[in-house]
Amino acid sequence: MDSNVFYLLGFGAPLIAAAYAFVQIRAIGRLDPGNETMQRIAATIRAGAMAFLRVEYSTMLVFVALMFLAIAFFLPVAGLPTAISFLVGASCSALAGWVGMRTATSAAVRTTQAAREGLAKALHVAFSSGAVMGMTVVALGLAGVAALYVAYGGLAGEGRAAAQYLFGFSLGASSIALFARVGGGIFTKAADVAGDLSGKVEAGIPEDDPRNPAAIADSVGDNVGDVAGMGADLFESYVGGIISAMALAWALTPQRAAELFGTSAGAFAMVQGQMVLFPICLSAVGIVASVLATFVVRTNREDKLHDALFSGILTASLLVVAGAWGLVQWMGLPMGVFWALFAGLFTGAITGKITEYYTSDAYAPVKHLAAQSTTGAATNIISGMGLGMLSCGLPVLVISATIYIAFACAGLYGIAVSAVGMLATLGISLGIDAYGPVADNAGGIAQMSHLDEVVRQRTDALDSVGNTTAAIGKGLAIGSAALTALALFATFRKAASEAIASAGGSAAFAFNDINYELDNPNVLLGLLIGGTLPFLFSAMTMNAVSRSANKMIVEVRRQFREIVGLIEGTALPDSATCVAISTKAAIQEMIAPGLLAVAAPLLCGLLLGVSGLGGLLMGALVTGVLMALMMANAGGAWDNAKKYIEAGHHGGKGSDSHKAAVIGDTVGDPFKDTSGPSLNILIKLMSIVALVFVPLIVQWIRH
């Protein structure tokens, strides 16, 4: 490929996305922010969100500095370039979260004001804010990968080494994503659970009622967890897929290429360089397609909100398919690459529809779950757990079929390309996901500002669809995580073999061989330990939410009891104390799960060798994907079952059914917004840590 064409795609497309985001930010800023009360509430939410982000980033800065030093000084040969890539990846991820947060906190109050005028305008404002998050993520992700690849000589004959250095970029993105997801998830769900139990269940006041001291903290949490956290989550999925595909293209041998594509060694040598650059070019096509597709997301009908959002995804997907076909033909790549990509894109769409079926109140599973609430919270929770477990079946079958097809079409490289294809339309799919918390915040502002009931009805309509799109986004992240983690594992095996060979040959390391068969006891030990890690990680994050919510509930009860006139609405609550409780708890509680993700693969590798570490990665992949699917879907179903009852079914708001559904929703909150979505980051982060540090592990075992 001509270098000018690479520059045009690798940097031109991110510039288009960045320009789109900038235009939308300016347009949102010029909209009417509403009356003085609305602006005051919005300013309080914004201040709390940005304050949390500053504290969180300050804490993560310590971790980033320590990891930078560890990579730079302890890794043999590639330490400093990888460390620089790590720093760039962490910085880009943090910047994407900051931009998304600033935009979302500005757009929420303007969405509320727009809802006073009509549904179509409110949808436009909320979706525009989400699109800023999506376009910022893809712009920084693709530009970061392309810039580092060029800087490390990827276009000047050093492509293999440059691709290896890029794993530092992925490690930085994954590290920030895990802390952002866990910290933001703990913050938002502690406030949400406390607000629901103390306000709706105990005090009998509506959701987001201004009398509830946890209401502001809940609104702050929507931003730090569902905007900044989700953005960082999908940022690392996006760059991880691109980088793993590039590395596996370099790992492909002429013999394997001949088996897959029927090419001669000479022909493959010409095609291999194109295969390395293809993921970047495909992602550029996806960015342009996403920008164009945003212009079809329009509707003025409440019953057509989901159709409007789906039309954007469908348009972007069709454009990517057409663009990818032309790209494969123009670059002279085997058609197996296209079919692997198509399988990933198709799988993303199918997984999204399966997730929608299990989490939307338009379908039988959620309606059945709502009906189970008529006999109490226990049956609601039992049914929700069963629904979550049941929802794992079809997605796993679809993902498995994709792995089979992609491998048959293009080998391990095809699996990585299918992950890139699944996230090719991330610019708009993340925008549709991130619009949900903006709509949720808009509804809270409407309630706290005592606006007309029709305003809250419109924002609730947006929020209800947003719950489903958020669940679809989580399903997309989990599916791509499975494909990317599998590709990363293949890359890990290749890197381990090379590290052992360079250290003197595998025969010198009887305890550290690269035999991944089940008759190797180290592999079995690794499988069991790795399979347990997602359970331990989930327990840590769930308990963190429980402890934080407990402190918040005690504080809310105290204020209801001690502030004279609060429950009557004649006095104001102390919201700042609740925000401070969530902030302190989230920062403290996010450290241990983050350290577990980094320390577990290192300790396993040092104690059980490369084969044991491989077993750990495989075990964590299997249980992590299943638990993530179960938790995300169960949580989404519980939330929409509650909203289905609030819409007037089974007794409506205030009924015993509603109270039972609220309790189910509080159980589902940390499922879907803390533990579940963090698991897909966990399995990829452990794979990246293993991949980056495998030379150090081999050296340790040798000595």
Side-chain angles (χ1 to χ4, degrees):
M1 175 184 290
D2 183 82
S3 60
N4 290 328
V5 176
F6 175 83
Y7 289 133
L8 178 64
L9 293 173
F11 297 106
L15 281 175
I16 292 173
Y20 176 91
F22 178 77
V23 169
Q24 294 299 327
I25 291 172
R26 294 292 299 274
I28 292 170
R30 288 194 293 266
L31 295 175
D32 184 1
N35 60 42
E36 184 178 343
T37 301
M38 294 164 60
Q39 293 181 48
R40 176 179 55 79
I41 294 169
T44 303
I45 295 170
R46 184 186 183 94
M50 299 312 297
F52 172 80
L53 208 61
R54 284 193 295 271
V55 175
E56 184 182 50
Y57 282 4
S58 299
T59 304
M60 289 190 293
L61 182 62
V62 177
F63 172 82
V64 169
L66 292 175
M67 282 292 290
F68 176 86
L69 294 174
I71 296 169
F73 290 102
F74 291 106
L75 279 187
V77 184
L80 185 58
T82 304
I84 293 172
S85 294
F86 168 81
L87 190 61
V88 175
S91 301
C92 288
S93 180
L95 179 59
W98 185 85
V99 172
M101 178 86 82
R102 294 279 297 182
T103 306
T105 52
S106 173
V109 68
R110 290 165 171 83
T111 301
T112 307
Q113 177 63 20
R116 301 175 75 177
E117 302 175 31
L119 186 67
K121 190 171 182 180
L123 171 65
H124 175 70
V125 178
F127 173 71
S128 296
S129 172
V132 169
M133 178 84 256
M135 296 304 170
T136 302
V137 163
V138 296
L140 289 172
L142 184 57
V145 171
L148 286 172
Y149 189 72
V150 171
Y152 288 135
L155 299 181
E158 300 294 332
R160 187 182 299 273
Q164 295 299 318
Y165 298 150
L166 286 176
F167 284 115
F169 187 88
S170 186
L171 177 59
S174 296
S175 300
I176 294 298
L178 187 67
F179 283 113
R181 250 308 182 189
V182 172
I186 292 170
F187 184 108
T188 183
K189 293 305 110 180
D192 201 353
V193 168
D196 282 350
L197 292 180
S198 300
K200 291 163 68 173
V201 175
E202 294 181 2
I205 61 178
E207 186 174 8
D208 298 318
D209 192 287
R211 293 171 290 175
N212 193 333
I216 292 293
D218 185 12
S219 296
V220 171
D222 289 336
N223 292 289
V224 301
D226 297 335
V227 178
M230 174 58 85
D233 180 351
L234 288 171
F235 179 88
E236 65 94 21
S237 296
Y238 185 70
V239 300
I242 296 172
I243 293 168
S244 62
M246 295 172 70
L248 285 171
W250 282 118
L252 196 62
T253 63
Q255 293 78 11
R256 181 58 177 152
E259 295 173 4
L260 289 170
F261 311 126
T263 59
S264 64
F268 174 68
M270 298 178 63
V271 171
Q272 187 175 33
Q274 302 286 68
M275 292 176 69
V276 173
L277 299 180
F278 177 71
I280 291 179
C281 299
L282 172 64
S283 300
V285 170
I287 288 176
V288 176
S290 296
V291 170
L292 294 175
T294 60
F295 295 101
V296 306
V297 181
R298 299 286 187 276
T299 189
N300 198 28
R301 292 177 53 183
E302 183 176 321
D303 61 341
K304 294 294 183 180
L305 283 173
H306 186 272
D307 292 342
L309 296 170
F310 181 73
S311 66
I313 290 287
L314 181 62
T315 301
S317 299
L318 293 175
L319 290 174
V320 167
V321 169
W325 177 277
L327 198 61
V328 167
Q329 299 291 330
W330 176 67
M331 297 180 74
L333 300 179
M335 283 306 298
V337 174
F338 171 79
W339 293 117
L341 175 155
F342 182 80
L345 192 64
F346 183 74
T347 297
I350 294 298
T351 302
K353 296 304 289 184
I354 294 172
T355 303
E356 180 187 348
Y357 173 74
Y358 282 110
T359 59
S360 172
D361 60 10
Y363 300 102
V366 170
K367 291 180 179 179
H368 174 72
L369 178 58
Q372 292 296 97
S373 303
T374 59
T375 51
T379 48
N380 171 282
I381 293 171
I382 293 169
S383 181
M385 289 287 290
L387 186 154
M389 294 175 185
L390 183 65
S391 71
C392 295
L394 288 177
V396 169
L397 289 177
V398 171
I399 293 169
S400 299
T402 302
I403 292 171
Y404 180 85
I405 293 169
F407 186 83
C409 291
L412 293 171
Y413 176 76
I415 295 175
V417 166
S418 67
V420 178
M422 189 179 287
L423 293 178
T425 59
L426 183 62
I428 186 169
S429 60
L430 179 54
I432 290 173
D433 188 343
Y435 113 97
V438 174
D440 193 2
N441 257 212
I445 293 172
Q447 184 76 39
M448 287 183 273
S449 302
H450 303 290
L451 299 182
D452 293 340
E453 182 63 26
V454 68
V455 178
R456 185 63 196 246
Q457 290 174 359
R458 289 166 180 165
T459 58
D460 278 352
L462 294 173
D463 184 30
S464 180
V465 175
N467 284 333
T468 302
T469 59
I472 293 173
K474 293 179 179 74
L476 189 68
I478 295 165
S480 67
L483 298 174
T484 302
L486 193 59
L488 290 172
F489 176 72
T491 311
F492 161 77
R493 291 189 62 180
K494 178 71 174 177
S497 300
E498 292 176 352
I500 290 174
S502 65
S506 60
F509 304 104
F511 189 66
N512 190 55
D513 59 19
I514 51 174
N515 171 25
Y516 299 99
E517 301 295 334
L518 292 181
D519 59 359
N520 183 341
N522 289 345
V523 174
L524 290 175
L525 289 172
L527 278 170
L528 287 172
I529 296 170
T532 305
L533 284 176
F535 289 88
L536 295 178
F537 181 88
S538 297
M540 294 169 73
T541 52
M542 292 284 286
N543 285 332
V545 171
S546 178
R547 286 190 293 268
S548 304
N550 185 276
K551 295 176 184 177
M552 183 87 72
I553 290 171
V554 170
E555 173 60 22
V556 173
R557 287 172 176 170
R558 183 196 67 79
Q559 292 194 32
F560 279 143
R561 185 175 61 252
E562 296 181 5
I563 298 179
V564 178
L566 177 57
I567 199 68
E568 292 79 15
T570 58
L572 294 175
D574 179 11
S575 301
T577 299
C578 291
V579 173
I581 288 173
S582 267
T583 299
K584 182 179 179 180
I587 299 303
Q588 291 176 342
E589 298 279 7
M590 76 177 186
I591 296 173
L595 293 179
L596 175 69
V598 175
L602 290 175
L603 291 175
C604 183
L606 295 175
L607 295 174
L608 298 178
V610 172
S611 57
L613 178 53
L616 178 135
L617 298 179
M618 288 186 283
L621 172 61
V622 173
T623 60
V625 168
L626 291 173
M627 284 196 69
L629 284 169
M630 186 275 289
M631 287 182 148
N633 290 341
W638 268 316
D639 196 346
N640 275 337
K642 177 197 69 176
K643 283 187 166 51
Y644 184 73
I645 292 174
E646 289 176 343
H649 303 91
H650 303 298
K653 289 184 178 180
S655 65
D656 289 340
S657 298
H658 183 232
K659 292 178 181 178
V662 169
I663 292 174
D665 181 38
T666 59
V667 175
D669 277 335
F671 267 51
K672 68 182 175 66
D673 290 326
T674 307
S675 300
S678 299
L679 286 171
N680 69 80
I681 307 173
L682 174 75
I683 60 178
K684 284 178 291 182
L685 178 56
M686 290 198 301
S687 298
I688 289 290
V689 169
L691 181 56
V692 169
F693 285 99
V694 70
L696 179 63
I697 292 171
V698 170
Q699 279 198 346
W700 171 271
I701 297 296
R702 181 185 183 189
H703 292 95

